[in-house]
Amino acid sequence: MNAKRKRVVVTGLGVLSAIGKNRAEFAESLLAGVGGIKSSEMYNRYFENCYASELVDDYDYAAHIAPDVLEGLDLVALWSYRVGREALEDSGLFGNAEYLREAGAMIGVSSAGTEAFLPVLLNNDDAVSDAKVRVAGSYSSAGPGVAALFGLGGGYEVIATACTASPNGIGLAFDAIQNDKNKIVLSVGAEPLYMPTFAGFKVLDAMSDGPCSPFSGTPGMSVGEGAGAIVLEEYEHARARGATIYAEILGYATSCDAYHETSPDPKGDGAALVMSFALRNAGLEARSIEYVNAHGTGTEANDKAESAAIRKVFAERTDVPVSSTKSFIGHNISSAGIMELIACMVTLPKKKIPATLNFTEARPYVGDLNVVANTPGDGSVNLFMKNNYAFGGNNCCIIAALEPESVPTPPATARRVVITGLGSLTSLGIGADAFFAGIEAGRSPSQEVDLQVIARADAAADGEQSPVFWMSRNPGVRKILERLPLDAGGRLRLRTHQVEEFSPRKHLRTVDVRKLQPVSIFALVAFQQALKDAGLKISKANREELGMILGLSRGPQTAIDNYFSSLSPDPANARISEFSKALYNSVASQCSITQGVRGYNTTLATGYSSALGAIAQAYEVVRTGMQNYMIAGAADESAYGFSLMIHAQNNFLNYGLADQDFRVYGEDSRGFHIGEGAGLFLLETPESAVARDARIYGEVLGYGRACETTLLFSKHAPVGDGPGVSGSQAMARAIRAALTEADLAPEDLDLIVGSSWGTAEADRRELEGIAEALGDAAAGIPLTNLNGYFGFVEAAGAGLNLMGALRSMHSGTIAPIAFAPTIHGEFAGRFDFVLAESRRAQKIRRALVTGASEGGNCYAVIVGAGDSV
């Protein structure tokens, strides 16, 4: 069917940088040619001749945030609050609970979860903060932080594609508004300059010996820190409330070079491709663009590739102005794109084109590019392009116009989306057949691990050392770890579900598996399984129309532990080989590089259940015609390093050593056994599936996303008037949104598959949310949860439960909840729980799958039977 394409506009701006602590100061410095890259006060004590764009944050956070909340927040959350508040105030929305309870958030980060552990990384005697580990110790923490601080209840995603994270977040916000999931989305990027980032680029020898000079002079980059936020809003909604409109977002795209882990394609083909994709999405041609804000890091590799890419795309126009804002503020990694987009929106309306500072003699490969050098150019610009590129070949391009309604909206087609390929790797085995067979046989293969967590002076250290062992000399770390049920020797015994031993080389014959981290191996094997199951072969003809979205929780934990441990005691000895692997986007990038896939590529680090967020976004990408095929899902590796400290704080783990100790929804539910693996899906249109004679497992009928806003505020109300959104309310809202999109009533559902991880809080949030959304109908719909069979695979678990739902549709049988728990009295009788003694055969036409992150972000996905397509 033909759907009306909505216009998406920017109605609020907020920025924090070394050249301005708000949008007015930022604009003034850009127009005056004042740069912020100077000799580093932070890092010259560790390295020689360091330059960076560093800021002094003098904001009085205590005047706005309660003390017991403030003590747990890191700079990522605080800077997000500062710029987010400026943007929301600018938009006239700050404190307006009516609007904000429905608003979403997209947060681009690269260094979240780092600050809590800096005392250890910097080898000083400061104790690690108990509060910061609890609140800000995980990568996904930026999501619930932003949601709670502003009372945003419309759901969030944490985007982790390094240098393209914030513009990718803007793209996801654009899609959420297009599909009526939100009228308003706050998009944020925040990047404090922490040691792991600085040391990585320094040891890579990528730094300039002075302020960087993109496209000219001696190659080299300057790193920076800062944050940016924009309010995106549906145009008619913004007009109706009389909002100021800075620009209209016309379209965006992401892609992957599929070339190298750290270097861009030197021919610029990947960068050119993403520009072409974005122009296609916006319904424009290159000749319409009047200015390009380049990625422009200043390195030889980037500037050479980017120059070639711009010449390819703008072959008919050598006069289009090009400049790099990084010459002012350095490379702000995850926040770079959004800050540079804001730079365009505060200078171009004044008929001034941002300059490239420090420009001397153009490098030979720059050729005839029209680089705006040293002073702002004069000119009237309406249509402009913002480009960003990242390690792993992740590319992003945004097309915008200063004047809303200045170009026609392109036609949009809301295509149906089906699932045709399943790929899994869990303790149950490799491939969907092994996964289903294990569940049907009632298997729950697990093993006991014995980890040396801390050293005890009066006991010999034996057993396998946990990666967190080296940190335990810090008194704060030790205090936290001693909350675990350690024995007299400082050891911890756990029941875990691990991927059975197998030969990766047998499945990954074209890649050197010795260089891969476990989570990348899991994702790659599942990727290949999904393609094989769908009967889709990658070729030159389709590799640009196949993309990937991967959800992660702990991410590449082995590489992170290895890299972080190499920083202490001397960061100059940082392991270069581990730096790029420790980036969250390295996993999806490695999949695309290995398989030669060049389409849409992004990574969501929203934490638990982020597989459903990845599948929902892949559905959007195929539905709107951005790509024809998408691989989506999540992967996790067993993690006993930094994440072990987080588990010690949140008390989610079940320390029972029997398989049946992990039970969900039970009177005796007390947490989960750790699982690992991957679950990936191939999504496409029914037409392409039928043309290929592919098996259709099911159709994605709709999804919903919402989040609780009270997580950080057990004693204090969120910003604004009125109550916040509780976890069960968020789950109910997500389910209602999915039903609305699917055009279904609760009575139309035949199956509910939950993904709770077995704590009382998680069980209650899920079940009360289901009951609130479905009402009396909930008691008549079978409800199961499969996590007990394969352990709780944090990011991937909800996706694996979705696989179970699809299997039930085909087999006509519903697998029971593992280990037949005695249902908690509060819920017994209110739901039709499928237990071992009630295993049943039933025709399933439509299934609801639910999941939630540890930060209270709730998902609901509804799928329909494949034979009805």
Side-chain angles (χ1 to χ4, degrees):
M1 65 178 180
N2 291 324
K4 182 181 179 182
R5 176 127 168 201
K6 296 177 175 63
R7 294 186 183 273
V8 179
V9 295
V10 177
T11 60
L13 306 176
V15 69
L16 174 65
S17 75
I19 64 170
K21 297 178 181 179
N22 53 55
R23 64 184 179 279
E25 292 181 5
F26 188 57
E28 182 179 356
S29 294
L30 290 168
L31 294 171
V34 177
I37 303 170
K38 300 175 182 177
S39 181
S40 172
E41 294 186 12
M42 286 191 287
Y43 294 105
N44 273 317
R45 74 187 74 170
Y46 302 102
F47 306 96
E48 293 182 359
N49 199 26
C50 299
Y51 281 77
S53 178
E54 298 166 342
L55 61 89
V56 177
D57 186 12
D58 56 1
Y59 192 77
D60 186 6
Y61 295 102
H64 307 288
I65 301 173
D68 61 330
V69 174
L70 186 60
E71 68 175 344
L73 301 179
D74 62 1
L75 287 179
V76 173
L78 292 175
W79 289 1
S80 294
Y81 173 78
R82 181 170 177 172
V83 297
R85 178 168 181 147
E86 183 185 10
L88 288 169
E89 287 178 338
D90 185 31
S91 189
L93 292 169
F94 181 76
N96 189 323
E98 178 186 356
Y99 285 130
L100 297 184
R101 276 197 292 267
E102 304 297 327
M106 299 295 172
I107 305 104
V109 295
S110 181
S111 56
T114 301
E115 185 176 317
F117 306 105
L118 278 180
V120 180
L121 303 183
L122 298 178
N123 200 37
N124 61 38
D125 295 329
D126 294 340
V128 167
S129 163
D130 187 276
K132 279 192 177 169
V133 172
R134 184 181 68 254
V135 176
S138 66
Y139 202 101
S140 61
S141 63
V146 170
L149 288 168
F150 296 117
L152 306 175
Y156 62 80
E157 297 293 350
V158 177
I159 300 91
T161 52
C163 312
T164 61
S166 57
N168 273 353
I170 293 169
L172 267 67
F174 178 86
D175 288 337
I177 293 171
Q178 287 289 332
N179 197 28
D180 248 350
K181 297 302 179 183
N182 305 100
K183 296 293 184 184
I184 299 165
V185 179
L186 178 67
S187 189
V188 181
E191 187 73 27
L193 187 50
Y194 294 136
M195 174 60 81
T197 300
F198 192 95
F201 284 112
K202 187 67 176 178
V203 175
L204 274 174
D205 199 25
M207 301 282 202
S208 172
D209 289 335
C212 66
S213 54
F215 303 112
S216 75
T218 303
M221 67 179 287
S222 300
V223 289
E225 61 181 354
I230 66 174
V231 176
L232 293 121
E233 191 167 355
E234 193 274 320
Y235 178 53
E236 297 300 334
H237 188 272
R239 285 185 62 191
R241 64 181 192 85
T244 298
I245 295 175
Y246 287 94
E248 179 182 354
I249 305 298
L250 301 176
Y252 83 103
T254 81
S255 74
C256 186
D257 282 0
Y259 177 75
H260 190 268
E261 290 85 352
T262 59
S263 299
D265 175 0
K267 297 179 182 179
D269 288 343
L273 181 66
V274 79
M275 287 187 260
S276 299
F277 279 167
L279 288 166
R280 182 178 73 181
N281 188 16
L284 296 172
E285 296 182 1
R287 63 173 177 265
S288 302
I289 301 301
E290 298 163 300
Y291 165 61
V292 176
N293 188 281
H295 188 54
T297 64
T299 65
E300 185 83 0
N302 175 88
D303 292 2
K304 185 175 183 179
E306 189 166 15
S307 296
I310 292 172
R311 281 199 298 273
K312 287 179 180 179
V313 175
F314 295 91
E316 300 176 4
R317 280 199 62 193
T318 59
D319 63 333
V320 62
V322 176
S323 66
S324 170
T325 307
K326 291 181 178 67
S327 60
F328 284 84
I329 57 175
H331 192 346
N332 286 255
I333 317 299
S334 65
S335 62
I338 197 166
M339 294 174 71
E340 292 157 9
L341 184 66
I342 292 170
C344 298
M345 290 187 283
V346 297
T347 56
L348 295 177
K350 300 180 184 298
K351 301 191 183 305
K352 291 292 184 180
I353 301 173
T356 305
L357 291 185
N358 315 314
F359 195 90
T360 54
E361 182 178 352
R363 298 176 206 155
Y365 51 75
V366 174
D368 56 359
L369 287 189
N370 182 18
V371 179
V372 182
N374 298 317
T375 59
D378 295 318
S380 178
V381 170
N382 180 36
L383 299 177
F384 63 96
M385 173 185 284
K386 171 77 216 97
N387 292 326
N388 289 98
Y389 315 116
F391 272 8
N394 277 138
N395 308 309
C396 189
C397 176
I398 293 174
I399 311 290
L402 292 182
E403 300 174 17
E405 294 190 283
S406 58
V407 296
T409 55
T413 301
R415 307 192 297 184
R416 296 172 70 185
V417 180
V418 298
I419 295 171
T420 58
L422 306 179
S424 71
L425 183 68
T426 68
S427 60
L428 293 170
I430 300 173
D433 288 343
F435 178 74
F436 296 139
I439 292 174
E440 289 173 5
R443 294 177 59 224
S444 179
S446 64
Q447 63 189 76
E448 185 180 318
V449 297
D450 184 349
L451 300 171
Q452 188 72 46
V453 175
I454 63 175
R456 292 268 168 85
D458 56 349
D462 55 11
E464 179 187 351
Q465 279 195 3
S466 163
V468 82
F469 183 83
W470 68 276
M471 300 173 62
S472 63
R473 63 178 179 268
N474 182 280
V477 171
R478 192 179 184 91
K479 178 182 176 182
I480 293 170
L481 291 175
E482 286 180 338
R483 294 174 185 163
L484 296 168
L486 307 178
D487 69 9
R491 297 189 304 272
L492 175 69
R493 296 168 66 201
L494 290 173
R495 173 65 55 182
T496 67
H497 291 252
Q498 298 183 352
V499 171
E500 63 183 16
E501 289 187 15
F502 74 106
S503 173
R505 289 186 178 89
K506 179 180 177 182
H507 298 271
L508 307 173
R509 297 177 179 176
T510 62
V511 63
D512 186 352
V513 297
R514 295 171 299 176
K515 296 181 179 180
L516 297 179
Q517 54 210 313
V519 69
S520 293
I521 292 174
F522 299 162
L524 272 167
V525 172
F527 190 114
Q528 291 189 349
Q529 291 284 330
L531 287 175
K532 182 179 178 181
D533 189 38
L536 181 66
K537 295 182 178 180
I538 299 172
S539 66
K540 288 185 178 180
N542 67 17
R543 68 179 189 151
E544 294 179 357
E545 291 301 326
L546 172 62
M548 181 179 195
I549 303 176
L550 187 69
L552 295 172
S553 179
R554 304 300 170 202
Q557 191 69 61
T558 300
I560 292 171
D561 289 332
N562 290 340
Y563 177 61
F564 277 21
S565 65
S566 75
L567 296 171
S568 179
D570 184 0
N573 294 326
R575 296 176 191 162
I576 299 176
S577 61
E578 300 291 342
F579 176 47
S580 62
K581 293 179 185 177
L583 298 174
Y584 267 54
N585 66 314
S586 65
V587 184
S589 294
Q590 187 63 61
C591 289
S592 291
I593 292 168
T594 302
Q595 301 298 322
V597 172
R598 301 181 65 195
Y600 195 106
N601 190 289
T602 200
T603 298
L604 304 181
T606 314
Y608 297 4
S609 302
S610 57
L612 296 187
I615 292 163
Q617 182 59 23
Y619 161 78
E620 293 285 17
V621 171
V622 176
R623 185 188 70 85
T624 58
M626 290 183 69
Q627 302 273 217
N628 289 331
Y629 312 96
M630 289 295 297
I631 292 280
D636 290 286
E637 61 183 64
S638 291
Y640 309 119
F642 288 89
S643 62
L644 201 57
M645 292 178 60
I646 298 168
H647 287 311
Q649 287 279 48
N650 60 29
N651 202 29
F652 286 172
L653 285 187
N654 185 311
Y655 300 105
L657 296 178
D659 285 335
Q660 60 268 28
D661 286 329
F662 175 24
R663 309 186 198 198
V664 297
Y665 310 139
E667 288 277 8
D668 55 351
S669 294
R670 55 183 188 275
F672 62 83
H673 289 160
I674 295 173
E676 67 176 1
L680 296 179
F681 303 74
L682 180 70
L683 287 77
E684 60 181 304
T685 63
E687 292 78 12
S688 63
V690 170
R692 205 174 61 255
D693 197 25
R695 173 174 49 185
I696 296 176
Y697 285 99
E699 179 179 5
V700 181
L701 301 178
Y703 75 95
R705 176 175 51 214
C707 61
E708 65 177 287
T709 64
T710 57
L711 200 66
L712 300 181
F713 294 89
S714 57
K715 298 179 182 178
H716 305 275
V719 171
D721 299 323
V725 179
S726 70
S728 60
Q729 288 171 332
M731 179 61 75
R733 293 170 69 182
I735 294 170
R736 291 193 194 103
L739 286 168
T740 297
E741 184 173 14
D743 194 22
L744 296 175
E747 296 78 11
D748 296 323
L749 297 173
D750 303 308
L751 175 65
I752 304 167
V753 184
S755 302
S756 173
W757 52 88
T759 64
E761 180 184 2
D763 288 353
R764 183 171 293 107
R765 171 172 49 203
E766 186 164 70
L767 295 176
E768 287 185 351
I770 292 170
E772 181 180 335
L774 304 186
D776 293 342
I781 305 171
L783 189 156
T784 190
N785 179 318
L786 307 179
N787 285 333
Y789 295 98
F790 41 80
F792 185 54
V793 191
E794 295 181 6
L800 294 168
N801 275 290
L802 173 58
M803 282 192 189
L806 294 172
R807 176 64 172 180
S808 290
M809 289 181 176
H810 277 260
S811 68
T813 60
I814 305 171
I817 300 168
F819 307 120
T822 301
I823 298 300
H824 193 287
E826 183 180 352
F827 303 110
R830 296 173 61 189
F831 299 93
D832 183 13
F833 293 102
V834 182
L835 305 175
E837 63 273 15
S838 61
R839 186 184 185 96
R840 69 193 70 173
Q842 181 173 327
K843 188 173 184 178
I844 308 295
R845 307 298 301 167
R846 303 176 188 91
L848 165 68
V849 180
T850 61
S853 75
E854 68 276 36
N857 199 46
C858 298
Y859 300 101
V861 173
I862 296 176
V863 289
D867 59 9
S868 63
V869 175

